[in-house]
């Protein structure tokens, strides 16, 4: 492998978002006027933090000694043998502190809050992983923390609710609308508008108004940077295919970003196919969505012909969202990234196979990516390499999964 | 010249303050909303904000969220609001400002929406989550159909942003008197007079003040310092409490009369 192959060309080839926070037709800043100054303030604070070596060193030190980075790049030998095709690697974000990639962004943004002298942070959460990560970073940095969570998700993810409270966060139940992630975001936006002068909103994914999609992507891009280095060491080359699940899209953009300039690397994002691709029964925005604006950004949106936002379904709370990060919409349209979906059943099957073959219980979100690996690997050559982002661990999901896998048994 | 522009011109000439009630169209039903519009006009409303319900009203507090939800359950859409305005125009010439979130307009198509809204008899549009920064195409579409564009100004708006907001608003700006979402407040904010003066000076436009004004006393206070007083959640709550009974419009009218009288004294 040549020295030049070690460096990413993404930033030269892909200078987005533009000054107005746009990825082509997508992205932007669509919020009530009250929040516009906070977005400008955040953008300025982020630019100054990025240029400040002391901030960078502090972040790196915490990533190493607190989060446990770099996370391993693990060769999944038994899954590889069982599928009989490409060599499969997992990027083990499930081994990061708190059990998912969400900590990368939450920690970075909480450090930004501190830098902006905002003593309070708020967050939305679906599966609870981003809420837990924010509560964790807030505890570490001594910030007050409130997490908004849909009532349905609180039921699905009770363990995570307790974890957040244990770390001193206030968890507020959201009963409006569909009582899931989208409604938790609405409630967080309302809180932010009222308390914007002393509160930072730690948005958990690459969605929302600019600069959130950019900031979250940059904090997550560490996943791909490490992968490039680790795979060069293990195999001496680039991967042929990268696979990650896509809810808002932060773990996938985190893995893919460094490789976007490498044309030989194929990328697949896996959305939640739910029970079937019919209104209200899935969360596959690229399969059933259309151009729209939800919660601050232009993107693909699951909606009706009147522009009202549709309800969604997925066995995985973290993928159960009606829109998708604007950068994904951009790469969908220019075909740099391919998007597909896995159904609830496929994800549950992958959840079990991965547990049995590798002794790794994936998060139900990540199980959607495993399902796609199961489809792709057998058709590829034994010399090919797949890297999949194991974005989170499944401990939080065992109760939810058991309801589907063993519906008749008492737990 | 549309009815909104004419109203503010006349008011400026006479030194009058406009009374601007807000209602959610379709709560409890479009037919009753239309009766309410007529009753509000008969009881002193100068301009009515007619709210289109949206599935994700992230700028609204609980009262308007719930009204929105009830209207959506009736099947009310942005198209339904335009049809309703068309029916109102057979009964009333009160200036009407459509209050909506951006996505329904985006999906309708800005140009098609502007044409249909003007044909229905609307006079302007306030889009709560569309800041002027990205509203070029939207403003062109509205202007081509002689619809007023009203943009929000907030306590957090910088001088530079106020200038942008003033340029984008053709007749008046809507000043959010408090941080947060729509809803009633026990007291109006301190230093409001100073804030409103600043907004007027930096935008160069008349200023209507809303968010948190719910009683005749508050309305009177605000009418002394602003060109318009918006009462939203208090009116929507009163309508909700009437529960769709036959006297709903009469009750809304009676409350409007108290507010209008307070503003005229102011």
């Amino acid at each position: 492998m040549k020295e030049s192959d070690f460096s990413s060309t993404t930033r030269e080839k892909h200078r987005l978002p533009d000054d107005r926070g746009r990825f082509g037709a997508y992205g932007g800043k669509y919020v009530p006027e009250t929040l516009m100054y906070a977005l400008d303030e955040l953008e300025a604070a982020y630019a100054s933090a990025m240029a400040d070596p002391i901030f960078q060193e502090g972040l790196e030190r915490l990533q190493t000694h607190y989060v446990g980075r770099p996370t391993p790049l693990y060769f999944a030998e038994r899954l590889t043998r069982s599928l009989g095709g490409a060599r499969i690697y997992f990027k083990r974000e499930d081994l990061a502190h708190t059990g998912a990639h969400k900590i990368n962004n939450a920690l970075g943004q909480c450090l930004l809050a501190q830098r902006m002298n905002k003593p309070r942070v708020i967050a939305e959460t679906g599966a609870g992983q981003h809420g837990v990560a924010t509560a964790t970073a807030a505890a570490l940095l001594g910030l007050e923390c409130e997490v908004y969570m849909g009532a349905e998700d609180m039921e699905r993810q009770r363990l995570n609710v307790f974890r957040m409270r244990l770390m001193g966060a206030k968890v507020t139940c959201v009963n409006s609308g569909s009582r899931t992630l989208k409604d938790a975001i609405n409630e967080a936006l309302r809180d932010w508008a009222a308390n914007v002068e002393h509160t930072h909103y730690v948005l958990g994914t690459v969605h929302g108004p600019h600069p959130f999609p950019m900031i979250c992507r940059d904090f997550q891009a560490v996943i791909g940077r490490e992968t490039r280095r680790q795979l060069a060491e293990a195999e001496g080359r680039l991967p042929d295919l990268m696979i990650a699940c896509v809810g808002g899209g932060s773990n996938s953009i985190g893995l893919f970003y460094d490789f976007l300039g490498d044309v030989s690397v194929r990328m697949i994002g896996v959305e939640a196919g739910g029970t079937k691709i019919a209104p209200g029964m899935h969360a596959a925005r690229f399969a059933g969505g259309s151009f729209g604006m939800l919660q601050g950004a232009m993107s693909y949106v699951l909606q009706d012909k009147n522009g009202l936002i549709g309800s969604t379904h997925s066995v995985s709370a973290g993928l159960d969202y009606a829109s998708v990060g604007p950068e994904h919409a951009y790469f969908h349209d220019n075909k740099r990234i391919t998007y597909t979906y896995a159904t609830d059943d496929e994800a549950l099957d992958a959840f079990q196979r991965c547990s049995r073959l590798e002794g790794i219980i994936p998060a139900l979100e990540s199980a959607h990516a495993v399902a796609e690996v199961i489809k792709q690997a057998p058709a590829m050559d034994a010399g090919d390499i797949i890297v999949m982002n194991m974005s989170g661990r499944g401990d939080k999901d065992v109760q939810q999964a058991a309801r589907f896998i063993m519906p008749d048994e008492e737990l | 010249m549309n009815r909104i522009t004419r109203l503010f011109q006349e008011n400026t000439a006479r030194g009058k303050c406009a009374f601007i009630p807000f209602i959610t169209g379709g709560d409890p039903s479009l037919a009753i909303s239309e009766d309410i519009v007529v009753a509000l006009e008969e009881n002193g409303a100068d301009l009515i904000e007619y709210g289109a319900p949206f599935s994700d009203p992230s700028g609204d507090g609980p009262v308007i969220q719930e009204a929105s939800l009830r209207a959506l359950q009736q099947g009310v859409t942005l198209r339904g609001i335009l049809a309703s305005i068309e029916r109102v125009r057979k009964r009333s010439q009160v200036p009407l400002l459509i209050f909506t979130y951006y996505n329904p307009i985006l999906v309708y198509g800005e140009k098609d929406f502007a044409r249909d809204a003007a044909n229905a008899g609307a006079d302007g549009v306030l889009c709560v989550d569309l800041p002027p920064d990205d509203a070029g195409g939207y403003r062109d579409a509205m202007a081509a159909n002689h619809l007023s564009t009203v943009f929000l100004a907030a306590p957090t708006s910088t001088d530079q942003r106020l200038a942008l907001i003033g340029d984008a608003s053709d007749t008046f700006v809507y000043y959010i008197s408090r941080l947060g979402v729509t809803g009633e407040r026990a007291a109006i904010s301190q230093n409001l007079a100073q804030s409103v003066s600043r907004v007027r000076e930096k935008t160069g436009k008349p200023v209507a003040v809303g968010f948190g004004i719910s009683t005749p006393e508050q309305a009177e206070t605000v009418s002394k310092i602003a060109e318009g007083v918006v009462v939203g959640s208090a009116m929507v709550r009163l309508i909700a409490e009437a529960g769709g009974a036959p006297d709903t419009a009469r009750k809304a009218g009676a409350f409007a009369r108290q507010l209008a009288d307070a503003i005229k004294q102011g």
Side-chain angles (χ1 to χ4, degrees):
Chain A
M1 190 163 182
K2 294 193 304 286
E3 183 65 26
S4 60
D5 291 340
F6 283 100
S7 53
S8 168
T9 57
T10 297
R11 285 197 185 268
E12 291 78 67
K13 291 186 179 170
H14 171 58
R15 294 172 184 279
L16 292 174
D18 66 17
D19 300 345
R20 294 163 65 225
R22 292 190 165 264
F23 305 87
Y26 303 105
K29 270 178 169 176
Y30 296 89
V31 293
E33 176 62 23
T34 308
L35 294 176
M36 288 299 279
Y37 105 97
L39 297 175
D40 291 343
E41 178 189 44
L42 176 61
E43 196 175 347
Y46 177 66
S48 101
M50 289 300 101
D52 178 359
I54 296 169
F55 181 90
Q56 295 296 341
E57 275 166 36
L59 177 60
E60 267 171 45
R61 199 166 43 245
L62 286 173
Q63 280 175 340
T64 306
H65 299 288
Y66 188 71
V67 177
R69 305 208 71 88
T71 57
L73 183 70
Y74 164 75
F75 176 50
E77 195 173 352
R78 277 170 50 80
L79 182 64
T80 296
R81 225 182 306 144
S82 140
L83 294 174
R87 294 165 66 75
I88 299 156
Y89 283 84
F90 292 160
K91 178 61 173 163
R92 297 293 306 275
E93 291 301 295
D94 59 321
L95 293 178
H97 181 43
T98 72
H101 71 291
K102 291 291 185 188
I103 189 73
N104 302 328
N105 170 58
L107 188 59
Q109 284 203 39
C110 284
L111 286 168
L112 284 178
Q114 213 175 32
R115 194 178 171 90
M116 292 186 288
N117 294 316
K118 297 201 171 181
R120 178 174 180 263
V121 291
I122 55 171
E124 83 293 344
T125 198
Q129 288 304 113
H130 174 58
V132 167
T134 306
T136 301
L140 175 71
L141 301 174
L143 302 168
E144 184 188 341
C145 179
E146 181 163 358
V147 179
Y148 290 93
M149 192 167 185
E152 189 183 325
D153 290 337
M154 279 181 81
E155 180 54 35
R156 286 195 274 197
Q157 303 288 350
R158 267 188 290 187
L159 187 64
N160 273 341
V161 174
F162 181 66
R163 287 168 80 195
M164 289 183 263
R165 287 180 175 153
L166 202 56
M167 289 183 285
K170 181 177 173 196
V171 182
T172 301
C173 181
V174 178
N175 271 305
S176 54
S178 59
R179 315 187 333 153
T180 59
L181 179 58
K182 154 178 100 64
D183 311 284
I185 295 174
N186 287 335
E187 211 52 47
L189 286 168
R190 290 177 189 122
D191 179 313
W192 202 28
N195 301 299
V196 63
E197 289 166 319
H198 68 280
T199 297
H200 173 61
Y201 178 17
V202 183
L203 207 153
T205 190
V206 290
H207 199 270
H210 179 68
F212 284 112
M214 174 181 77
I215 291 177
C216 181
R217 174 198 73 193
D218 291 353
F219 283 137
Q220 293 295 359
V222 65
I223 303 171
R225 283 198 302 275
E226 288 177 4
T227 301
R228 176 182 289 270
R229 205 166 54 233
Q230 291 166 322
L231 195 66
E233 224 161 82
E235 297 273 357
R237 67 181 188 86
L238 295 170
D240 298 286
L241 175 62
M242 306 188 98
I243 296 175
C245 64
V246 182
S250 69
N251 91 78
S252 51
I253 215 84
L255 178 69
F256 297 163
Y257 188 68
D258 210 61
F259 296 88
L260 285 165
D262 301 297
V263 288
S264 68
V265 181
R266 281 200 298 137
M267 298 169 179
I268 300 179
V270 188
E271 300 185 276
T275 50
K276 71 175 194 182
I277 303 298
M281 299 172 87
H282 69 101
R285 291 66 43 104
F286 293 120
S290 53
F291 187 72
M293 191 284 284
L294 177 64
Q295 293 170 335
M298 294 277 194
S299 187
Y300 278 72
V301 178
L302 291 170
Q303 58 187 338
D304 70 10
K305 65 182 195 311
N306 292 301
L308 302 171
I309 308 308
S311 60
T312 52
H313 161 80
S314 169
V315 67
S316 142
L319 302 183
D320 201 351
Y321 182 55
S323 187
V324 60
E327 195 162 16
H328 285 287
Y330 175 80
F331 286 122
H332 169 270
D333 286 9
N334 80 5
K335 301 189 164 55
R336 177 64 189 92
I337 304 175
T338 303
Y339 295 85
T340 184
Y341 56 84
T343 63
D344 284 356
D345 286 345
E346 288 168 336
L348 285 163
D349 177 61
F351 179 81
Q352 295 170 82
R353 272 175 88 166
C354 185
S355 300
R356 275 200 302 272
L357 280 170
E358 294 290 347
I360 296 171
I361 302 173
L364 280 173
E365 291 77 19
S366 319
H368 286 70
V370 178
E372 183 62 18
V373 168
I374 291 170
K375 290 179 201 168
Q376 294 284 337
M380 293 170 71
D381 290 339
D384 289 346
I385 298 169
I386 298 177
V387 174
M388 188 208 89
N389 200 1
M390 185 58 76
S391 56
R393 67 177 182 224
D395 306 47
K396 68 182 173 62
D397 292 318
V398 290
Q399 205 163 14
Q400 164 83 351
R403 275 186 221 151
F404 288 87
I405 296 167
M406 308 180 293
D408 302 327
E409 295 199 20
E410 288 259 336
L411 284 177
Chain B
M1 191 188 300
N2 70 46
R3 297 174 189 87
I4 293 175
T5 313
R6 197 181 313 135
L7 168 72
F8 276 86
Q9 279 193 0
E10 287 170 9
N11 278 6
T12 305
R14 293 177 200 162
K16 278 179 62 187
C17 176
F19 167 41
I20 311 172
F22 167 97
I23 63 168
T24 298
D27 178 37
S29 68
L30 284 174
I32 295 179
S33 293
E34 290 154 24
D35 289 345
I36 293 171
V37 168
V38 172
L40 294 175
E41 186 199 13
E42 285 168 354
N43 288 284
D46 298 303
L47 162 63
I48 292 166
E49 273 191 56
Y50 206 42
F54 183 54
S55 52
D56 293 80
S58 57
D60 284 300
V63 170
I64 294 177
Q65 282 177 50
E66 283 159 23
S68 235
L69 187 64
R70 286 190 295 272
L72 290 173
Q73 283 162 350
Q74 310 280 319
V76 177
T77 62
L78 189 56
R79 282 176 199 278
I81 291 293
L82 297 189
S84 174
I85 288 174
E86 208 172 338
R87 290 191 293 272
V88 166
R89 280 289 169 249
K90 293 181 182 140
R91 302 164 64 187
S92 165
Q93 293 307 309
V94 67
L96 287 171
L97 177 68
I98 297 172
F99 179 101
T100 179
Y101 286 79
Y102 186 43
N103 196 52
I105 291 181
L106 186 67
V107 171
Y108 200 122
E110 289 171 345
K111 286 180 182 164
D112 289 351
F113 168 75
R115 180 201 60 217
D116 291 355
N119 286 341
D123 301 293
V125 186
L126 194 171
C127 202
V128 65
D129 52 358
L130 178 65
D133 314 56
D134 279 306
Y138 164 91
R139 284 173 55 203
D140 291 345
M142 300 306 152
N145 289 281
H146 309 289
L147 293 167
S148 281
T149 46
V150 180
F151 286 89
L152 299 172
T156 51
S157 302
T158 57
D159 288 355
Q160 203 185 350
R161 291 202 56 76
L162 288 176
L164 184 69
I165 291 159
D167 285 346
S169 304
D170 65 276
T171 302
F172 74 100
V173 300
Y174 182 134
Y175 180 60
I176 298 169
S177 64
R178 293 203 159 222
L179 296 180
V181 294
T182 56
E184 299 155 78
R185 307 284 197 281
I188 56 169
S189 50
Q190 292 175 344
N191 306 325
L192 185 62
Q194 213 178 332
S195 310
V196 173
S197 302
R198 172 176 165 255
V199 172
R200 186 184 299 113
E201 185 198 328
K202 301 295 177 192
T203 61
K205 294 277 159 44
V207 181
V209 175
F211 278 44
I213 302 166
S214 49
T215 66
E217 294 72 30
Q218 290 171 341
E220 186 187 347
T221 307
V222 176
S223 72
K224 290 175 179 155
I225 56 173
E227 286 76 27
V229 177
V230 182
V231 177
S233 293
M235 183 63 76
V236 172
R237 185 171 51 79
L238 179 133
I239 292 166
E241 283 167 3
D247 64 346
T248 302
R250 192 190 57 74
K251 282 183 177 160
F255 183 43
R257 176 52 64 195
Q258 291 175 30
L259 293 162
D261 288 348
I263 288 166
K264 282 181 188 118
Q265 278 169 26

